[in-house]
Amino acid sequence: MAETATQEFLHNLHELPHTVKDACFRLGKTPESEREESQATFHNLFLHIHSVRVHLRTLKPTLTFGLGLMATASFVITLITGVLLMVYYKPSTDLAYQSIKDIHFTVSTGRFIRNIHRWSAQLMVLTVLLHMARVFFTASYKKPREFNWLVGLGLLVITLALSFTGYLLPWDQLAYWAITIGSNIANSPRELTDAIGMTKLFDPGGLQKRLLLGANYVGQDALIRFYVLHVFILPLALVTMLGVHFWRIRKDGGLAKPEDPPGGLAEWGGEKRLVFQPLATKTYGLMALVKGKRPPVNRGPENTVMSWPHLFWAELSVFMVTVAGTLVLSFYSDAPLKELANPAIPENPAKAPWYFLGIQELVSYSAFTGGLLIPVIVVVGLALIPFLDRRPGGEGTWFGTSRERSIFWQSLFFAVAVTVGMLAFTVNHGWLRNWFPNIHQLWIIAINPGSLLVLIFAAWSLFTLKRNDSVRLAAVSLFTCFLVGFTLLTYFATVHRGPNWHFYWWPSQWPVH
Amino acid sequence: MSRLDPPPLNRRSFLSLASLGSFFAALGTAAAGMLRLPNPAVLPGPVRRFKLGPPEQFSAGSETPFAEQNLVLFRDDEGFYAISSTCTHLGCTVARSKDGFACPCHGSRFDSKGSVIGGPAPRPLPWLEVSRAANGELIVNADNEVPEGTRYRV
């Protein structure tokens, strides 16, 4: 090795592409053995959140339909397109609308990027809701996954908040009146405090409205606040909680699945396989050194496959499907932009995007009950599920315990009948204010079609609890009622509400004016 | 002292607890102080006293909508009165309908004196204070409510 420094330098220069590649990628080549595949997973920052091996049940598409991943994928798409839109968008009441028009008509690919942003946001709301339903009906919230159910619920709320703050930014008619209505819903505790005459002493509604608007009218202060929420605070909160969500999936033992029997034969994929039984003294890595509970460790390695490549192919394809779906939708359908905000006249009817129309229908009974009380009751009720239903069983299987499926169908028909009946009655006969014009507002806050629906659903769930002697079945009936109520109210407000929030069979029957 | 009694707090753990406590107290105070910032001390907003014109411009029995000001000015035999057209439910602008006013957003309905006759609105449409400027023009102060039935006589 009697080489000169010059020779060494030239040699290093020649080897540069290889040495840089080796420095960047720890494995440095396509893994060929299972040992290398596991290294590829846990030596990589972005992949090491996965376990090295994954259970075959987890990979079965019909367990999850990839819904959580789809929500994540749509979030990533909104994040990237959102940053691009920020380049041109100007958060000012004078310029916002024009800058959206610029993005739509002038900016290269601006219209397409905005469409993608909007469609992936809609897809995110939809997949987050469906993902929650999947987790519920596969009983995947049960111990030790209670905390992750709560994190997921937080993510749902943030997703809705992101959508809401998002459609305020163009400062068109939809935006202006949505801010007006939204901030007045925040103000609606006043309905209650006014009714019992204590607004002067205690005014949480006024405080909330002031915090949202930063002024006593809807203008520049409000726009900049919603902009900061939309582009910074809420995405940051979402990314943080998403990290916790993923981390807990891993720490809680992967996706929920039925336990394989230890040390016996387990049926999988039509054949019996031997299940590995760990020795009682076996400890796992770091777990040998620290006190506390061990994370659940897979007991059936014979039913697992390497995450690299099986899981990563699956994840990649869900990402591809999401991107492809969003692109197709964005190519054929433009994101709406209404007329410039006009503080004098709202549109008639002034409808929110679809995911808030159920709430808009509830709000049309009572602002406080429909806009705040019922949503809070729903979120608290959902949060309590894993703490009230604690009996293990059915994890990771659709309708896993006995009678779940029949309770689901019973509750579905019950909830459809009750919701349709309640809507039909309200449309035909009006409500308390129509019959007793001078009735005290407290009666309407307490008794309206929305609060009655909640009470009837709760009663039905208690009835299921008594009759079937099972907390899980009571939870199934309540959750099914919630899904049906949400879906039907959303459908009803989308299709059957027209100008002045009157009932019409079809939008084509709306009066021309 | 029995074996079951908890061990007395020693000096070291007392000091640790005290310093931890002061840390959280400081953090809480700082957070509360920071949360004061978004609560506006001054509420900026346009002046909501509107000059609507000389009284002669409005004949008896007339009703004149002012869209930008979100109010309707009435004149009957007893005098002038102004009714706000901002819905008391969630703040949309109501429009004139057959029986009074109707809200496009959530279906609140009011009669032509502003009383609620249907829908979710918790309160009647407010009647606003009418007065006159030095030059004789009518002024409506949209920030001042007056009891229903109050008229301003010219």
Side-chain angles (χ1 to χ4, degrees):
Chain A
M1 291 294 283
E3 56 180 349
T4 62
T6 317
Q7 279 172 326
E8 189 187 339
F9 170 76
L10 287 174
H11 175 75
N12 289 351
L13 196 63
H14 182 251
E15 290 295 312
L16 193 64
H18 296 290
T19 45
V20 168
K21 181 168 150 272
D22 285 349
C24 294
F25 301 101
R26 298 182 66 194
L27 190 59
K29 59 176 184 142
T30 314
E32 280 156 10
S33 63
E34 293 208 338
R35 181 191 151 84
E36 285 173 358
E37 282 172 355
S38 62
Q39 283 178 337
T41 309
F42 68 73
H43 282 174
N44 181 301
L45 173 71
F46 302 101
L47 297 183
H48 88 286
I49 199 155
H50 300 88
S51 58
V52 165
R53 292 184 72 86
V54 57
H55 199 283
L56 280 164
R57 282 181 189 277
T58 308
L59 282 179
K60 205 177 165 198
T62 50
L63 174 66
T64 63
F65 296 102
L67 288 165
L69 258 182
M70 262 183 221
T72 312
S74 8
F75 173 65
V76 172
I77 300 172
T78 46
L79 202 66
I80 296 168
T81 49
V83 170
L84 288 173
L85 292 174
M86 278 175 76
V87 173
Y88 285 98
Y89 175 74
K90 302 175 188 72
S92 129
T93 50
D94 293 332
L95 304 172
Y97 187 76
Q98 299 308 329
S99 65
I100 299 287
K101 281 215 150 165
D102 280 350
I103 288 172
H104 192 94
F105 291 109
T106 316
V107 174
S108 337
T109 73
R111 172 170 165 185
F112 196 43
I113 295 289
R114 177 164 173 260
N115 291 351
I116 296 173
H117 191 71
R118 191 248 188 184
W119 275 113
S120 55
Q122 306 244 324
L123 200 66
M124 185 173 160
V125 175
L126 183 70
T127 46
V128 166
L129 287 170
L130 292 176
H131 173 63
M132 178 173 75
R134 190 287 286 178
V135 170
F136 179 84
F137 286 119
T138 56
S140 303
Y141 54 81
K142 287 184 180 175
K143 196 176 175 187
R145 297 181 176 81
E146 306 100 316
F147 180 73
N148 226 11
W149 172 262
L150 295 184
V151 177
L153 207 56
L155 286 168
L156 168 68
V157 173
I158 296 179
T159 303
L160 291 175
L162 270 169
S163 307
F164 181 71
T165 50
Y167 69 78
L168 307 180
L169 300 183
W171 211 250
D172 59 353
Q173 278 287 67
L174 175 67
Y176 182 87
W177 292 101
I179 297 186
T180 306
I181 292 170
S183 61
N184 277 319
I185 287 179
N187 192 34
S188 68
R190 269 200 188 171
E191 219 177 85
L192 190 65
T193 51
D194 275 350
I196 52 180
M198 53 177 290
T199 305
K200 281 226 164 64
L201 302 171
F202 177 64
D203 182 20
L207 177 67
Q208 293 188 72
K209 184 176 179 179
R210 225 165 37 244
L211 285 179
L212 284 179
L213 295 188
N216 49 14
Y217 73 112
V218 175
Q220 183 60 55
D221 298 273
L223 178 58
I224 205 80
R225 278 168 193 236
F226 285 111
Y227 177 70
V228 170
L229 280 174
H230 185 74
V231 304
F232 185 74
I233 296 176
L234 292 172
L236 189 68
L238 194 133
V239 168
T240 312
M241 286 178 74
L242 205 56
V244 176
H245 202 56
F246 289 153
W247 184 75
R248 279 303 287 251
I249 296 176
R250 177 77 191 281
K251 292 294 163 187
D252 294 340
L255 300 195
K257 56 188 169 296
E259 288 274 332
D260 290 317
L265 290 174
E267 170 135 359
W268 180 256
E271 42 183 308
K272 300 266 185 198
R273 293 155 186 265
L274 185 68
V275 176
F276 165 75
Q277 175 154 39
L279 291 172
T281 52
K282 171 78 172 155
T283 48
Y284 292 89
L286 187 63
M287 300 308 142
L289 305 175
V290 291
K291 280 192 217 162
K293 279 188 293 184
R294 260 191 247 145
V297 174
N298 235 329
R299 289 206 282 175
E302 280 76 11
N303 287 342
T304 62
V305 290
M306 296 303 293
S307 295
W308 181 295
H310 299 89
L311 177 61
F312 299 143
W313 278 127
E315 293 189 349
L316 208 61
S317 41
V318 173
F319 260 80
M320 293 284 285
V321 166
T322 315
V323 172
T326 315
L327 289 185
V328 170
L329 286 168
S330 311
F331 188 79
Y332 285 107
S333 170
D334 279 348
L337 182 65
K338 311 230 166 179
E339 286 161 41
L340 179 64
N342 179 357
I345 316 165
E347 287 192 310
N348 193 4
K351 286 195 183 185
W354 62 269
Y355 37 84
F356 286 131
L357 279 177
I359 291 183
Q360 190 168 352
E361 177 67 24
L362 290 178
V363 160
S364 78
Y365 310 137
S366 155
F368 176 66
T369 311
L372 280 182
L373 193 60
I374 293 179
V376 167
I377 288 176
V378 166
V379 170
V380 170
L382 290 171
L384 287 178
I385 287 176
F387 301 98
L388 297 181
D389 171 26
R390 298 192 63 77
R391 188 188 294 266
E395 291 96 330
T397 328
W398 283 86
F399 306 105
T401 57
S402 66
R403 307 226 341 107
E404 255 181 54
R405 205 178 290 268
S406 68
I407 291 292
F408 168 74
W409 284 111
Q410 284 173 25
S411 306
L412 188 88
F413 286 119
F414 174 81
V416 168
V418 169
T419 313
V420 170
M422 187 67 82
L423 288 171
F425 178 84
T426 313
V427 164
N428 283 311
H429 301 286
W431 201 254
L432 292 169
R433 184 68 73 192
N434 302 83
W435 314 326
F436 317 106
N438 294 318
I439 193 170
H440 199 276
Q441 182 63 23
L442 279 177
W443 287 108
I444 294 180
I445 292 177
I447 304 173
N448 59 60
S451 64
L452 283 188
L453 274 183
V454 172
L455 285 179
I456 293 172
F457 290 164
W460 169 256
S461 170
L462 285 176
F463 172 69
T464 317
L465 182 76
K466 282 272 178 205
R467 195 181 56 168
N468 295 285
D469 199 23
S470 154
V471 182
R472 166 71 182 163
L473 291 182
V476 168
S477 65
L478 193 60
F479 190 83
T480 312
C481 287
F482 153 70
L483 278 189
V484 170
F486 178 85
T487 314
L488 280 186
L489 287 177
T490 306
Y491 159 79
F492 185 79
T494 309
V495 176
H496 297 310
R497 289 296 191 183
N500 292 345
W501 211 243
H502 285 318
F503 173 83
Y504 294 90
W505 279 110
W506 302 112
S508 57
Q509 298 169 329
W510 292 4
V512 185
H513 53 178
Chain B
M1 204 174 91
S2 106
R3 271 189 310 127
L4 297 175
D5 284 334
L9 196 63
N10 61 25
R11 185 164 162 276
R12 180 177 292 260
S13 29
F14 171 76
L15 287 176
S16 323
L17 273 178
S19 54
L20 207 62
S22 67
F23 168 74
F24 281 112
L27 198 70
T29 316
M34 283 192 282
L35 284 178
R36 282 192 59 188
L37 184 136
N39 190 7
V42 178
L43 292 175
V47 179
R48 303 212 317 143
R49 279 163 58 90
F50 306 113
K51 277 189 184 174
L52 302 182
E56 308 82 62
Q57 197 179 312
F58 310 97
S59 58
S62 74
E63 113 177 31
T64 321
F66 288 88
E68 258 176 58
Q69 292 82 352
N70 282 328
L71 58 90
V72 184
L73 184 72
F74 292 85
R75 180 177 195 175
D76 60 12
D77 299 334
E78 295 169 58
F80 286 99
Y81 59 99
I83 297 183
S84 160
S85 57
T86 302
C87 182
T88 53
H89 179 232
L90 291 174
C92 292
T93 307
V94 297
R96 203 71 170 94
S97 67
K98 273 198 302 274
D99 44 358
F101 300 96
C103 181
C105 294
H106 305 95
S108 289
R109 288 185 295 120
F110 307 85
D111 67 14
S112 50
K113 296 273 186 267
S115 301
V116 188
I117 51 174
R123 290 184 296 120
L125 293 175
W127 284 43
L128 305 174
E129 185 191 55
V130 185
S131 58
R132 280 175 93 176
N135 67 359
E137 277 192 60
L138 284 175
I139 288 186
V140 171
N141 185 347
D143 288 325
N144 262 9
E145 270 186 52
V146 293
E148 184 187 335
T150 311
R151 305 287 204 284
Y152 179 77
R153 286 169 198 283
V154 185

